[in-house]
Amino acid sequence: MPESAAVRGDEGLSRRDLDPDPFRQFDAWFAAARAAEVPQPEAMALATAGRDGAPSVRMVLLKGAGPEGFVFYTNERSRKGMEIAANPQAALAIYWPPIHRQVRAAGSVEPLPPERSDAYFASRPRGAQLAAAASEQSRVIASRRVLIDAYERLEREYEGHAVPRPAHWGGFRLVPDRVEFWLNRESRLHDRFVYTRDAGAPAGWR
């Protein structure tokens, strides 16, 4: 998709600039963020809520985006993991300040197949693997020393061996039914286009 003046933000965003498929549109904007050397363009805010409806939000890393949804990985015993188990709905927002763009999405969340999580875990740096196994994410611990001791114990245990993926750590995909593309404009008169699922529309989106 060509990068036009409208997409850069100096003349706004028009419907004619948008791909009928929001994931292809996302790919174009993500590529533009990388080309602009936006720091950590895959960083996104992920909002979840438990059965009580009380929301929580945190930054996570986007690890894939396509027709299957937006992919991320986490400790399933963390607050977000437990909230997803209780209420498998979530929303995300990605903001790229240097290029004045934001993407938001909301929909259902489902776990990735175990073999997919295994493959991704195996691709992580060894330190990150050990940290995932050592961390009691979202739980209170007595001190940082407790965390370091757990890490070092696992480091000794798996010396010379592959670190197995913890059973409580894995991947999820947010399957959106709504995706919004936002472009900053002067005087806060921003441009916003929302895609919603529609089986009868081109690419399955309206």
Side-chain angles (χ1 to χ4, degrees):
M1 182 177 180
E3 184 78 351
S4 67
V7 175
R8 284 198 304 271
D10 48 2
E11 295 181 13
L13 180 63
S14 170
R15 185 169 181 168
R16 67 176 176 271
D17 297 310
L18 299 172
D19 192 286
D21 185 321
F23 290 108
R24 287 200 298 264
Q25 183 62 42
F26 180 84
D27 286 345
W29 275 26
F30 192 80
R34 284 192 179 279
E37 299 183 344
V38 174
Q40 208 161 28
E42 69 275 22
M44 67 180 186
L46 177 72
T48 56
R51 287 193 181 93
D52 61 3
S56 64
V57 65
R58 77 290 291 161
M59 300 302 295
V60 299
L61 296 180
L62 176 69
K63 290 299 181 180
E68 67 172 1
F70 296 92
V71 172
F72 61 96
Y73 293 83
T74 191
N75 183 322
E76 295 170 21
R77 297 175 184 167
S78 66
R79 178 171 177 174
K80 61 183 169 297
M82 292 188 292
E83 288 181 342
I84 288 169
N87 176 18
Q89 298 287 319
L92 63 83
I94 304 175
Y95 181 40
W96 300 305
I99 59 173
H100 313 294
R101 301 179 193 183
Q102 176 180 249
V103 179
R104 298 168 63 204
S108 60
V109 182
E110 56 189 44
L112 295 181
E115 58 272 17
R116 178 90 172 268
S117 294
D118 288 339
Y120 174 69
F121 188 82
S123 75
R124 302 183 88 202
R126 188 174 180 84
Q129 294 175 340
L130 291 166
S135 175
E136 294 288 344
Q137 195 176 120
S138 299
R139 299 186 184 187
V140 176
I141 58 176
S143 69
R144 181 172 178 80
R145 187 69 251 171
V146 171
L147 180 61
I148 298 302
D149 287 347
Y151 181 97
E152 292 177 347
R153 184 171 61 253
L154 290 169
E155 194 172 32
R156 292 189 298 271
E157 180 180 346
Y158 293 116
E159 185 176 2
H161 303 282
V163 180
R165 176 178 65 89
H168 58 270
W169 191 96
F172 292 90
R173 56 181 160 227
L174 187 155
V175 183
D177 49 38
R178 176 185 176 93
V179 184
E180 176 187 289
F181 292 86
W182 174 99
L183 182 72
N184 180 66
R185 299 293 301 278
E186 289 185 6
S187 302
R188 304 199 62 78
L189 297 175
H190 310 310
D191 291 331
R192 298 169 69 183
F193 285 90
V194 176
Y195 292 73
T196 54
R197 286 195 184 272
D198 183 345
W205 293 86
R206 176 168 54 82

